[in-house]
Every structure is written in structure tokens, then in C-alpha cells.
Amino acid sequence: MAHHAGIPGRTAAGVRGSAAALAVLTAVTGCTVGTSGAADRPAARAASGNGGTPAASRVPQPQEARSPSAPAVTPSREVPSQRTPARRSGPPMDGKPTAGNPTGGHQEGGNQAGGKPTATGVPAPRKPAAPVLLDRGSEGSRVRDLQARLAQISWFHSAPTGYYGRLTADGVRGFQARRGLPATGRTDTVTWARLLGMTTRPTAAELSGHTEREKPRPRLDPRCLNGRVLCVSKTTRTLTWVVDGSPRATMDVRFGSEYTPTREGVFEVFWKSRHHVSTLYDTPMPYAMFFSGGQAVHYSADFAAQGYNGTSHGCVNVRDRGAVAALFAAVRTGDKVVVHW
């Protein structure tokens, strides 16, 4: 009997020791160590098998057991929060286009409520074009005054007529291009003011065309001073035959229109054709001296008849047949050609 009575005593002590160890493990790990059926009993009733004193009075209280159906909660580490950038001052961007934000999107830089325009803001309005005073088809004394003033600076080579035609438009266009103005061929307020500043009030003789103004002396381009050169000036509308820096002959010439311009630069005569006929336009090109593709210096019967009221298709037209015939005889293939302003 003593042997059997000792067994329950040792068994109760063993149970108390196990409960104490379980409580310590639970307190250290923060987890509940489950045994079969333990989750169905209150933790405070974990007593000895013989109705001994409740374990809760002697050991730390274990954590409340969770239901098998509830998901286990794993302690999470603390993650540093990501700082959210502060919103810029100004009205909220609701995606609606505004005067300063035509796309309705987010704008970088600047005060969205106003102030200086940003790089993505509305571009500055274009400067309005200058009012036009005279154009093709205009007539009267003011057109005659314009023509006389253009003649003073060698942009009009005919007697003033008082009619704004192609010749006047070409003169105005050349004047504008030379001065860095929009080359429209129309006389606007800016062009007129620039022309007034460069010319004098026309005399009665100039307005009537009864005076012959002396053409300005051709200015030789520095590229024309060495060797044998056909020096063509678009400013004075002249061709000067130069040999070793010495001018030998000068003649009037005209050029192509804005649609078929005469090329500018340094070239050389690569072919001469005395009785040439254009294969493109089926027109005579006597005394042709080709220097750039199909462009050549040659005599033009139309230039001789119409003067500067017409243009070429890109060639350099000469209206003095005798002068160009003598030039044709003197020029050799390989001679330099300089076309310049």
C-alpha cells in the first residue's frame, strides 16, 4: 500500500513540475504549447489529477489559447514608415485643364496658383505681323514713290509706273531679304520705315523716270580677285569678267525667281554650248556657259525685250548680245564662277 500511495504523490509532483515548465516556456516564447484537448479547457483549471490546488496560484498565467479555427497571429517586425512627400501649395489638381495647366496634369515648379509661367506653361503669344501698306495690284502715287526709292538703292531698274506688279514685288522682296526682314514682297510698315531711313525724298525727275541713275559700281567679292573669274553680283545685278583682280567687262544680268533661284557659291565652267537649246523648256540659250547643273550664263532675248519684268529659270541671263558673245569667246572651261550678294 505504501508503494501504491507513493505513486500518486510522485505523480502529482511530476504534474506540477510539468505545468511550471510549461508556464515558463509560454512566458518566454509568447506562444501556447498545445496538448491534446488542452485548447478545450480553461487555462485556470490546469490542476493536479487529484483535484489539487489550481496551477494559476503558483505559476505565471499562460496566454489564452486560441481556437483551432482562428489564424495564428505572428508578431510582426516594426518597419520604418515611408515618408510621403508633402503636397505643394496651391489648389488641388483635379485633372481639369486650366489657363496655366492646359493638360490638367501635375506641373513641376512654380506657384500653381499664379506667378511666372513655368517651363510647361502656355507659350508666349506670337508677335503679330506688321500691317501691310502696299501689295501686288496696288496703284497710285505712293507706289510710284516706293519704286523711285527702290531705284535709289538699285532694287528697281525701270521707270516708276505707279503700279505694284511683279517687278516691284521682286525689288521689295530682295530689299527685305538683304535686311533680314521677312521676304514677302509686300510693303509693310516695318519695310517702309526701313526704306525711308535709307533713301531720300524722290525728285520730280526720279518720279517720272526721266533721269537715269548711275548704277553703283560693282563690288568685287574677295573670291573674284585671283585668276579668271565670272563674278556675278545679285546686289547690283551685274556680271563682271575679272582677270587677276582686274575687271575687263561688266554687263547687266537677271536671275531666277524665288521658285527657281540661281544658286550661290563658287563654281567653274564645265561646258560651253554656242547654239544651245533648253531640253526642259525648249527655248534658245545661245552662248551658254554651264557652271552648276543645268544653270548657265547665256544670252536671253526675253531679257532684252522685257527687262527685269521677267525672270529666268535659274540661269544668269545677259541681255547684251554683243557683250555676251565677246565673253563667250574669252571664257575657257575650268574658269571660276562666283555668284554672291
Side-chain angles (χ1 to χ4, degrees):
M1 292 296 292
H3 175 72
H4 292 288
I7 292 175
R10 288 193 298 271
T11 300
V15 170
R16 288 193 298 271
S18 297
L22 178 61
V24 172
L25 179 62
T26 301
V28 172
T29 63
C31 300
T32 300
V33 181
T35 57
S36 178
D40 295 333
R41 298 192 301 268
R45 299 296 295 171
S48 66
N50 290 331
T53 305
S57 61
R58 298 186 303 274
V59 297
Q61 178 74 20
Q63 291 187 359
E64 180 181 357
R66 294 183 178 88
S67 170
S69 61
V73 178
T74 304
S76 60
R77 296 180 180 179
E78 181 181 0
V79 180
S81 61
Q82 296 182 354
R83 182 174 298 175
T84 303
R87 290 179 61 89
R88 297 180 181 273
S89 63
M93 302 302 294
D94 57 1
K96 297 179 181 179
T98 63
N101 183 25
T103 62
H106 179 68
Q107 292 179 308
E108 293 294 337
N111 185 351
Q112 294 178 0
K116 297 181 180 180
T118 63
T120 57
V122 178
R126 294 183 179 180
K127 185 178 180 180
V132 175
L133 303 176
L134 301 169
D135 200 355
R136 292 280 291 265
S138 299
E139 296 182 79
S141 59
R142 197 169 190 182
V143 175
R144 188 181 294 272
D145 186 74
L146 167 68
Q147 294 168 333
R149 288 178 181 273
L150 288 172
Q152 290 179 8
I153 54 176
S154 299
W155 282 109
F156 191 79
H157 301 282
S158 182
T161 62
Y163 176 75
Y164 203 120
R166 183 173 63 179
L167 179 60
T168 304
D170 287 345
V172 170
R173 185 179 297 108
F175 172 80
Q176 291 169 326
R178 184 66 174 169
R179 273 81 195 169
L181 303 175
T184 63
R186 299 186 295 270
T187 304
D188 54 34
T189 54
V190 175
T191 302
W192 182 246
R194 185 69 65 87
L195 184 62
L196 290 179
M198 297 180 62
T199 58
T200 60
R201 184 175 181 177
T203 64
E206 289 174 329
L207 291 172
S208 64
H210 291 162
T211 181
E212 186 70 24
R213 292 188 62 88
E214 183 180 353
K215 274 195 166 186
R217 187 175 181 179
R219 177 182 61 87
L220 293 181
D221 187 278
R223 296 169 292 182
C224 300
L225 300 179
N226 296 314
R228 299 161 56 89
V229 188
L230 291 170
C231 196
V232 182
S233 171
K234 286 189 172 182
T235 299
T236 60
R237 298 184 182 185
T238 57
L239 181 156
T240 303
W241 170 235
V242 185
V243 178
D244 295 329
S246 175
R248 299 294 179 88
T250 300
M251 56 204 74
D252 294 337
V253 293
R254 72 176 184 182
F255 310 100
S257 68
E258 60 180 321
Y259 305 105
T260 56
T262 303
R263 302 181 189 99
E264 299 162 16
V266 179
F267 314 93
E268 67 176 35
V269 176
F270 64 87
W271 182 36
K272 294 172 63 179
S273 179
R274 167 66 180 80
H275 300 288
H276 192 79
V277 176
S278 172
T279 57
L280 290 177
Y281 305 103
D282 195 29
T283 55
M285 298 171 55
Y287 304 106
M289 294 165 275
F290 289 90
F291 62 89
S292 177
Q295 296 189 353
V297 175
H298 67 84
Y299 171 72
S300 169
D302 182 76
F303 183 26
Q306 303 295 331
Y308 291 101
N309 288 314
T311 60
S312 74
H313 292 103
C315 289
V316 178
N317 290 167
V318 182
R319 61 181 170 185
D320 188 333
R321 190 181 185 96
V324 74
L327 181 66
F328 184 87
V331 171
R332 300 192 291 255
T333 56
D335 286 347
K336 188 190 300 184
V337 179
V338 176
V339 182
H340 66 94
W341 279 100

